[in-house]
Every structure is written in C-alpha cells, then in structure tokens.
Amino acid sequence: MRLARRTEPAHETALQLVLDRLTGGVSERADTPDGWITAVRALPARSAVCAAFPEALDERLVRALRARGIEQMYSHQAVAIGHALARRNAVVTTPTASGKTLCYNAPVVNAILRDPSARALYLFPTKALAQDQLAELHELAEVLSADETEIGVFTYDGDTPQDARRAIRGKAHIVLTNPDMLHSGVLPHHPRWAKLFENLRYVVIDELHAYRGVFGSHLANVLRRLHRICRHYGSSPTFICSSATIANPRDLAESLVEQPFELVAENGAPRGEKAFLFVNPPVVNQQLGIRRSYLSETRRVAAEFLKRGLQLIVFAQSRLSTELLTTYLKEDFEGPPGTRDQIRGYRGGYLPQRRREIEKGLREGAVRAVISTNALELGIDIGALDVCVMAGYPGTIAATWQRAGRAGRRSGRSAAVLVASSAPIDQFVIRHPSYFFDASPEHALINPDNLHILVDHVKCAAFELPFTAAEQYGKHDVQEVLRILAESGLVHFAGEDQSGQWQWTSESYPADAVSLRSISSDNFVVVDTTRGSDVIGETSFTSGPSTLHEKAIYMIEGALYQVERLDFVGRKAFVRRIDCDYYTDAITYTKVTTLETFASGLPSGPPSASPVDLASHGEVHVSSRVVGFKKIKFYTNENVGSGELDLPEQEMHTTAYWLTVPSTVLTGLPFAPDDRRDGIVGLSFAIRQVAQLLLMCDRQDIGISIGGTGVSIERERTGQETAGLPDEPRIFVYDNYPGGIGFSEPLFLMHQELLARTHELIAGCECEHGCPTCVGPVGNTGPLAKVVALRILDLIASPQTAVDVA
C-alpha cells in the first residue's frame, strides 16, 4: 500500500500533535535531568544566503543549471567553486542537505567543458553513495547533451561487469569509485588508466568525516600512492572535500592529502524549523538504578509518529538492535495480507538489491519507516523524511547531528528525538543537554604513520612503481622499511647508491591482502538452507564468530534464522529459518599482555610517591575468543538459557593505556576479596565510558580488559569473573585495531582528567549499589562495586595514600 503524502498544513498539524503529546505541550522547557523529557530545543528556520554564478563558469553549464531550476547559488557554493576554479584545494563543511554536491560537480564539469580531455576522480566511502551521485551527474550530463556536449560518467567498483571496465577506462570523464576499489582495482593497474592519470584535474573526497580512525589512516596512505602515480604521469590534481560538521575539517583534509586546504564553513542554504527532544526512559527500580528498556521507549516514540502518518527513520546502535526494532514495529503496524512492507530494516549485510529497493521505497513514500544502523547516516538520497528517532546516543556529537539531519530538508518542519540507553555516556549526555547543544563537535583523528598500516601500503606502492633510493614516504624511514622487506624477498635493490631503485620481486599481489576497513579482508557469507542454498547476507570476519556461531539466532528484517553450522575455514555460515521467542548474545573472553612500555608515571602534576607507576601506555598483545552465548527472550530481556562454544582465538598487537592499582591500595581496603574484585570490574566499566568521551571516539574503537602482574581475571564459560585477582591489577584501555590508531598516548596524557571524570560519573549517580549508568548492573558485579570503586579512586588520587593507606 503506497503511503499518501500529506499536504504541508496537515503535516505540520500531525507533527505538532505528536510533539505536544510527548512533551505535554511545552514547546521549550528548562533542562530537567530526572524527567522523562530532559530537553526540548526548537532550532529556528533560517533563510538562504545566495550569490550569483561565478563569472568563470562556462555559459553552457550555467544554462544547464538554470534548466534544472537553479537560478543562483548559495553563498558557500559560490565560495567553494571559486577556490576550485582557481585550483586551490578546498574542504566544504556545511550541514546535511545544504547542496555540497554542486560545490564539486560545477568545477569538475566546467573543466571538462573547457577541455574535453580533462578527467576527475570521485571517492565515496560506500558503493551506495557512488550510485546515488551517479544519478545526479547523469541528469546534469543529459541536460548538457542538448548543447552537443557528451560527458562520460561511470561508477567503477566491485559490481562493475568485467566487459564494461575497458570501456570505462577509455570513455569516462568522471570516474565514481570508493577507496577500496582505488586501492585494489585502480592504482595497481595504473598503466591501463594512463588517460585518467595523465589528465587528472580534480579528486573529490565526499563525506570526509567518515575517514577517521583506521579507515582514514588507510585512505591517507592510498592518497600517498595516488600522488606518486600522478607525479609519474605528470599531473597534479586539485582536491575538493565535503564533510559534515566536525571540529577539525581542515586539519583532517590536510592530514589525509598532505597539502594545504581552504576551509568553507559558512552555510548559505536555508533550513526548516526542527524540534529536538531528549528522552530518558524512567527508572523502574530505584535501588538497582534500572531504567525502562530504551528499545521499548524507542518503539513507543516511533509508534506515536507512525500513527499520525508521518514518515520516519529510526537509527539503532547495532545490527541486533536494528533487527529487534524492525520486528517490534512490524508487529505493531502490519499491513493487510498481500501489501508491500511499509516497515523495513536496513543495515550492512543486506544484499545490494534489497538496499536499493528500500531506498527507492523511502523516496517514493511506499516505506513509512526504516530502522537502520549507521548505514544510512551518510548522504544517500532517501527523500525528505519527517522525523528521526535515535535509539541510543551515536557516540559523538558530529554523528548525532548527521543523523538528525536525515529528517527535514530545506523547508517544512521536522523533528529529531534522542532516546537514551542506560549506558553511562548516554546518561551523561541526556542529563547534561548543554554538553551536546553548546559544545563544538569532535575532532576526527587519524594515524597514517601507524607502522602496521604504513608497511602494508609501502608493499602496494612498490608493486605499483619502484621506490628510488632517496624517496620519502610518510614520517618513517621508508628506506629502512624497504630493507626489511628485501630480507623477506619482497623487493630487491637494483643499481648503485642514489641512482638505484627498489623493485617489487614477489609474485604476490599485495593489495589483495590489505583491508582498508577492518583487521582482515575476509568476510563470512550467510547461506539459507531452508529451501535450497540461497545467499541472504554477509558479515565481517571480526564480527563473524560472535554473530554466526553455531546455534546463534541471525535476523534479517525480523525474519529469524538459526545457525546450524559455521564453516570457519570456508568462511560460510549455514542457517535455517525458524520461529522462536528469543535471540542470542555472545560471551567473549579477552586477555591483554604487555609487550613494551612506552611511558609510565604521572604524565602531569607532582611526582608520584607510589612505588608503582599508576599510568602507563605501550604496546600490548590482545587475544579474544567467543566462549559461549546467552539466550535472551524478546520483549522481557530475560535470560532463558546459555551454551558453550569453542571457537578459534583472534589475536593482534596494538597499543594501550593502562591504570595499575597498587597492591597497597588493595590490601588496605576493608572489604572481602570478592568485593575488591567487583570494585575493579566496576571501575573498569566506568573508565571505558569516560575514555570514550574524552577521546571522542566510537565505542568499537577501544576495548577494555583487566589483567595484572599475576594471573589475569579469567572468565568462566558463563562469562562471569572468577574470584582470582592479581596482586596489582591493571585496567587496560586498548586501541581496537592492529598496531594502534593513536588513542593510547592522548589517554595517558589525560590520566588525571580520566580519573577525575570517572569519579564524577560514579559519585554523581543516584543509585545505591551500582547500575548500568555508573559501574554496571549489580548482577554483573556485586552490591559493593560502587562503594569499592569510589574508595579505590580516592586512594590512588593521592600519591601519599597510595603508599600508605593506613
């Protein structure tokens, strides 16, 4: 059944009715941390600031833009295009739906009109975004064809047929691809792309803010390789980047491209009025600090908007949450038999055809609601939605605004609702709305000189073009790296002294062994054996063991499948459709071993009198293994069973910060050994949340583990810690990527603030014995975890008491 579009007045009335119902009719209220609605902010509409077309634009392009209804530009578009036409690198950072696409399309098309031999390369973080922009460029090219101007625009990715690739290399003026394909499918075959590299005028990097952490560090090295090849063919392209609002867009662009950039940040686009609500589920058990399920609250809030015929997007924090909410809302709003699904799920792992179908349904109005992971956070065209509901804080201010921007476009009223979970970082933000509304967005951090990443790309670069004896690549001594690779038989130095070259001699294809987005380039394919053998999804290698272990419940858009067999070697999971009332949650055991200490002690403040260095950072070895799983009942979240698993370990070397609790502190605590252990576990739980806040990183970027100078705190098959506690336990916060990504040293330098904020988080919580908001649920620790954690923080905060507790 097609969803009828409301007229504008009807839409405004429906939206206001729902907002009044949720807020009790209060349009603007003071922040009330203990209330269900902790904040209501009305973001006013703003008018457009326009500018004339730059005089340097080709008249044919101006006519084409006017034919598409663009009579003038927004001010930021004119400024960005002016920089690009003058061959200055530019980064545009304006909100969602502000017309950033024209900032790079106009100068690129203009260059091709003036010189048909000119070429451009567009990089998008996902294939879906490239396909989305392909349609936009095709429309512009079709209008220009009236002037007998032909512009070849093609996508080049893993889905491009082999027989079409040769034609694309010869005919494409604009090649739309992604970093993965540039890395493995274009740069290693640069002789075939000679026409592109000889005439490359512009490189466009869209969604710049997506290139942070390990993905951004890889992209910086891919761009280093691109620069080498461009120099080889005699070209020097101009870079145009577009980004959502982050704190350091220019710094990020300059770190990725290693060239100076102009910043365009003043937004000239209009904006419709937006209501922003913060919702905190009520406490249902004051003693344990347990709140009503945030997924249940999200379901209720979304239902209020759906009842009024409004179209919405719901963002969930994980694949599991996405499938649960899809299941719940489909049950609430199931259409008549034979009608199309109006409630759809959307996440990575769905096959491309299914995702394109959902996107089209949103644009046409046939889909009333979509429940998505961050897969729809980026700028894929899904039309003008009315409402965005976020199930849990996305982890960063920048990501929250990006998701909120998916509802509402340039006119008309819209709403965004953030429903907090019980996670400490969610509770901090929801109880301190000014932190979100008044603070600047986060910094995006990358570390392109991470040796683990850099060495992989030096191999790829040597395969593409020989290294000279004097050539530099990044901050490390690449000549030393090449000598080490020579010892492994991968390269060979030919020639003498400075005139020689490092030649690739191995028969291997190095780009195939390097994944830009994860630890491994492998993935698991999900095969449905219910009626044959149909591939219904995929998941990454790292998440495979925890989501596709035997007896796991795998969900796609509310449909339940049980994993019957996991072929770890063949990277396949065989599933069968079932009907059950529970889902599964994996139990993972992680152990961290210190390899080398880079620095220790107190990084700031007076020297420590403790014989133990409280704070340290260095290189560590992390091994993790899925040891079991729990069965969790739908709706009630009851634990209705468990099982044991024996899967292979996953290992990596990375960097970490760790806090060492002196033995004098532990032995001086007036608590039983089990209570001391609970205090350490609770303290580690709180430290992880505060570390994520201070580092401004995503939750999956860091991991937490407890070890020590003795035996580490082991987990039994049930996932619960044993009573054993090391003499001097260490709380590790490690970078969740091989080689580290640059988080451990900043956290080490913020050691004092980390402890102070952790103390503030725990002490400021109103629960009695610990809860998910501070040291974790009592069931996972113990009744004295909160008291012991605070006592430990009090003792190690003072250098003297760390030596003599008494």
Side-chain angles (χ1 to χ4, degrees), residues 717-732:
R717 294 290 183 176
T718 59
Q720 300 299 316
E721 292 81 1
T722 67
L725 189 66
D727 294 335
E728 291 183 338
R730 292 173 175 174
I731 298 174
F732 292 92

Side-chain angles (χ1 to χ4, degrees), residues 168 255 664 702:
I168 291 172
S255 297
T664 52
I702 58 175

Side-chain angles (χ1 to χ4, degrees), residues 27 63 73 89 148 169 265 273 335 391 449 501 542 585 604 723:
S27 59
R63 285 199 302 269
M73 293 184 165
N89 299 325
E148 298 183 357
R169 289 193 289 265
E273 182 184 348
D449 294 303
Q501 290 183 327
T542 51
D585 187 20
S604 60

Side-chain angles (χ1 to χ4, degrees), residues 679-695:
I680 294 292
V681 172
L683 179 58
S684 70
F685 182 89
I687 282 177
R688 176 179 185 155
Q689 318 306 321
V690 176
Q692 181 185 342
L693 195 67
L694 293 179
L695 292 170

Side-chain angles (χ1 to χ4, degrees), residues 415-740:
V417 182
L418 172 61
V419 181
S421 73
S422 294
I425 192 170
D426 285 45
Q427 288 300 309
F428 178 86
V429 171
I430 213 76
R431 294 168 65 88
H432 302 85
S434 59
Y435 169 82
F436 174 80
F437 288 106
D438 301 337
S440 64
E442 298 85 358
H443 291 72
L445 302 175
I446 64 171
N447 181 20
D449 294 303
N450 169 307
L451 269 175
H452 188 280
I453 293 173
L454 183 133
V455 170
D456 281 341
H457 286 279
V458 168
K459 295 177 188 177
C460 298
F463 177 90
E464 293 153 4
L465 288 171
F467 274 95
T468 65
E471 189 171 350
Q472 297 297 312
Y473 185 97
K475 295 181 180 178
H476 292 288
D477 183 357
V478 73
Q479 302 299 319
E480 179 63 26
V481 173
L482 290 165
R483 283 190 287 272
I484 294 172
L485 294 180
E487 293 175 3
S488 302
L490 298 175
V491 296
H492 172 71
F493 188 75
E496 297 182 2
D497 300 330
Q498 296 300 309
S499 61
Q501 290 183 327
W502 294 96
Q503 304 275 358
W504 183 260
T505 56
S506 173
E507 294 182 358
S508 63
Y509 184 71
D512 267 354
V514 181
S515 168
L516 301 189
R517 301 171 191 255
S518 62
I519 296 170
S520 170
S521 57
D522 285 344
N523 69 340
F524 286 92
V525 174
V526 183
V527 181
D528 178 15
T529 60
T530 309
R531 298 182 183 88
S533 296
D534 301 319
V535 175
I536 60 172
E538 59 84 28
T539 191
S540 67
F541 176 77
T542 51
S543 60
S546 60
T547 57
L548 296 174
H549 57 80
E550 292 184 3
K551 299 183 181 178
I553 300 300
Y554 181 78
M555 293 186 280
I556 290 186
E557 290 200 84
L560 303 180
Y561 300 84
Q562 185 172 54
V563 179
E564 297 191 327
R565 182 167 67 89
L566 176 62
D567 180 359
F568 207 90
V569 176
R571 303 291 190 260
K572 290 181 180 180
F574 298 92
V575 303
R576 184 176 293 275
R577 185 76 179 263
I578 67 164
D579 184 17
C580 64
D581 62 351
Y582 68 89
Y583 60 94
T584 52
D585 187 20
I587 301 167
T588 303
Y589 161 62
T590 301
K591 182 178 180 180
V592 178
T593 305
T594 305
L595 300 178
E596 181 182 356
T597 302
F598 298 152
S600 60
L602 295 178
S604 60
S608 173
S610 170
V612 176
D613 290 321
L614 298 178
S616 307
H617 82 99
E619 184 179 356
V620 296
H621 174 265
V622 179
S623 61
S624 60
R625 184 163 54 92
V626 177
V627 297
F629 64 94
K630 295 178 287 186
K631 297 178 180 178
I632 310 297
K633 195 169 184 178
F634 286 121
Y635 306 109
T636 64
N637 291 325
E638 294 175 79
N639 187 336
V640 294
S642 62
E644 297 183 4
L645 296 169
D646 186 15
L647 293 174
E649 278 191 343
Q650 294 179 297
E651 300 178 298
M652 68 173 172
H653 285 198
T654 184
T655 56
Y657 154 89
W658 60 89
L659 169 69
T660 302
V661 180
S663 58
T664 52
V665 168
L666 278 185
T667 56
L669 290 172
F671 301 103
D674 282 359
D675 296 329
R676 297 174 192 171
R677 179 210 62 186
D678 291 341
I680 294 292
V681 172
L683 179 58
S684 70
F685 182 89
I687 282 177
R688 176 179 185 155
Q689 318 306 321
V690 176
Q692 181 185 342
L693 195 67
L694 293 179
L695 292 170
M696 301 176 183
C697 65
D698 296 328
R699 178 176 176 82
Q700 64 267 23
D701 288 339
I702 58 175
I704 195 83
S705 182
I706 304 172
T709 55
V711 180
S712 64
I713 298 181
E714 298 284 344
R715 286 180 179 268
E716 297 175 344
R717 294 290 183 176
T718 59
Q720 300 299 316
E721 292 81 1
T722 67
L725 189 66
D727 294 335
E728 291 183 338
R730 292 173 175 174
I731 298 174
F732 292 92
V733 182
Y734 59 88
D735 293 18
N736 212 8
Y737 301 104

